[in-house]
Amino acid sequence: MSTTVRFARLSFETKLQHFTDDLEEIERRKQNLLEVIDYDTNLTRLLEDTDGEGYINRGEWNYAGVGTDEYLIYGKLGKHTGREDKVLDEETKDYVETEMETADVSFFLIDVRTSVMAYEYRRNVGPKAPYRVLEYAFNSLHEGVETLEIAPLIDKEKFMEKLDAITEVASIRFTSLHPTNPRSTAGSDKMDEFLEEGGIENLTLRADGGDDGIILENVPLFDSGLNLAQEGYGTARVIGKEADGEEVDVRSENVPIRVRREINNKTEARKQALKTEIDNALARLEQNIE
């Protein structure tokens, strides 16, 4: 089976220092995720009155086939929809309309150590639903105790190609930049250190340039912030102009890492395939794209 794999970064923020047991941080996060990622979880109820309420109108969401393997969580997110279809009816000897239940399913795997999620893209599920549904449901369930922000991993090469087309940077906006977990790369360490040393858990920043625009080479912290966003620790938006004067609006979340590959339908094979792709995606993020 050929499928497209996408990736997202999970970032946790503990609101209450109420944990009194000796659970390691990774194990605690794993347990908190599994309180949401469970066959019996009522996702519709959790999504109500949240920013993700719109997903309810698209169908009924359910987790199934959930399992764990040390620091891994895997399973399927399904969207159920009803549709009218015509079937032969023996009693009336005619075609009659009947309500058919169908489901679109996305298999996913979360590496809790690296806080990265890989999932199979399904058009009828949507490109963002596997991590957005989790994010909204998690925050609804654990409100006031721990919050979860999830952002896609960005294709650095494609992102930089778009930035290179900009000859004059008019403005830069960073949204929800936060310290790395487990660690930053050489490209993002300056902003990561700035956040850590300043005790900053979440940073939103907008910078507007003057007549000559913003010169990124003179602001290494901004360059590091762009790398941090590409690694999934927030988002970045750059607005500027190309050489011909055409305005360009580049948003990091619009250029996610996507991998096309063959994946066996069997659960174990899918787990291994997605774990390999997570490792490959993280290796790509370590590379400095000039």
Side-chain angles (χ1 to χ4, degrees):
M1 177 181 68
S2 181
T3 189
T4 296
V5 179
R6 293 191 176 211
F7 309 87
R9 176 86 69 176
L10 286 66
S11 298
F12 300 84
E13 182 183 341
T14 303
K15 294 296 184 181
L16 294 177
Q17 300 298 327
H18 72 298
F19 302 104
T20 58
D21 54 29
D22 296 326
L23 284 179
E24 295 290 338
E25 183 178 43
I26 291 175
E27 184 61 27
R28 190 188 76 240
R29 289 175 175 173
K30 178 182 174 183
Q31 289 191 7
N32 286 346
L33 285 169
L34 287 171
E35 288 183 32
V36 178
I37 305 171
D38 185 272
Y39 179 81
D40 294 320
T41 298
N42 187 333
L43 289 175
T44 298
R45 181 179 59 79
L46 290 178
L47 292 174
E48 288 176 348
D49 300 321
T50 73
D51 290 340
E53 192 169 31
Y55 281 104
I56 299 174
N57 298 327
R58 304 183 191 181
E60 181 182 343
W61 300 87
N62 293 94
Y63 285 113
V66 177
T68 64
D69 184 0
E70 292 186 276
Y71 52 86
L72 301 177
I73 299 172
Y74 59 90
K76 302 166 186 173
L77 176 66
K79 183 184 75 170
H80 298 258
T81 56
R83 62 182 177 85
E84 291 288 332
D85 205 354
K86 289 183 171 58
V87 298
L88 282 172
D89 181 67
E90 295 243 351
E91 186 175 332
T92 62
K93 298 186 181 348
D94 196 357
Y95 284 101
V96 297
E97 289 189 348
T98 183
E99 186 76 9
M100 304 288 289
E101 183 76 12
T102 62
D104 295 295
V105 178
S106 172
F107 186 87
F108 66 88
L109 181 138
I110 298 172
D111 183 335
V112 186
R113 290 188 312 174
T114 60
S115 298
V116 173
M117 175 185 198
Y119 59 94
E120 298 173 3
Y121 167 64
R122 294 286 180 265
R123 182 174 60 84
N124 292 330
V125 172
K128 299 179 181 179
Y131 69 84
R132 286 293 186 219
V133 168
L134 173 59
E135 179 183 41
Y136 292 129
F138 183 98
N139 290 330
S140 177
L141 182 65
H142 296 290
E143 182 180 9
V145 177
E146 188 160 34
T147 59
L148 174 64
E149 290 188 11
I150 308 181
L153 297 187
I154 303 307
D155 189 320
K156 283 190 173 185
E157 189 169 0
K158 289 183 179 178
F159 186 65
M160 294 309 298
E161 284 177 3
K162 291 180 178 291
L163 291 187
D164 287 343
I166 299 177
T167 57
E168 182 182 316
V169 177
S171 70
I172 298 176
R173 181 177 179 86
F174 295 117
T175 303
S176 297
L177 287 187
H178 40 272
T180 62
N181 178 29
R183 62 186 178 84
S184 58
T185 67
S188 63
D189 54 7
K190 285 185 175 60
M191 179 60 83
D192 190 42
E193 290 170 7
F194 172 77
L195 297 174
E196 285 281 4
E197 293 173 3
I200 301 171
E201 294 182 341
N202 196 298
L203 174 69
T204 294
L205 173 68
R206 172 171 174 165
D208 296 314
D211 294 338
D212 296 325
I214 299 173
I215 304 173
L216 286 176
E217 289 80 3
N218 296 338
V219 194
L221 190 63
F222 281 10
D223 184 60
S224 182
L226 289 172
N227 277 279
L228 196 64
Q230 293 169 55
E231 293 164 21
Y233 297 105
T235 60
R237 179 181 182 184
V238 181
I239 298 176
K241 293 182 179 179
E242 295 180 337
D244 59 3
E246 183 77 18
E247 185 172 286
V248 181
D249 185 347
V250 181
R251 306 186 188 205
S252 60
E253 64 264 38
N254 289 342
V255 281
I257 296 178
R258 289 177 287 192
V259 177
R260 191 76 181 170
R261 67 164 295 161
E262 294 293 324
I263 293 183
N264 190 300
N265 269 329
K266 293 187 180 298
T267 297
E268 191 61 35
R270 290 168 109 170
K271 282 170 49 184
Q272 294 303 319
L274 293 190
K275 181 61 177 70
T276 297
E277 292 303 341
I278 286 177
D279 294 340
N280 292 341
L282 291 174
R284 287 175 64 175
L285 292 177
E286 293 280 356
Q287 298 174 1
N288 287 321
I289 306 296
E290 300 296 337

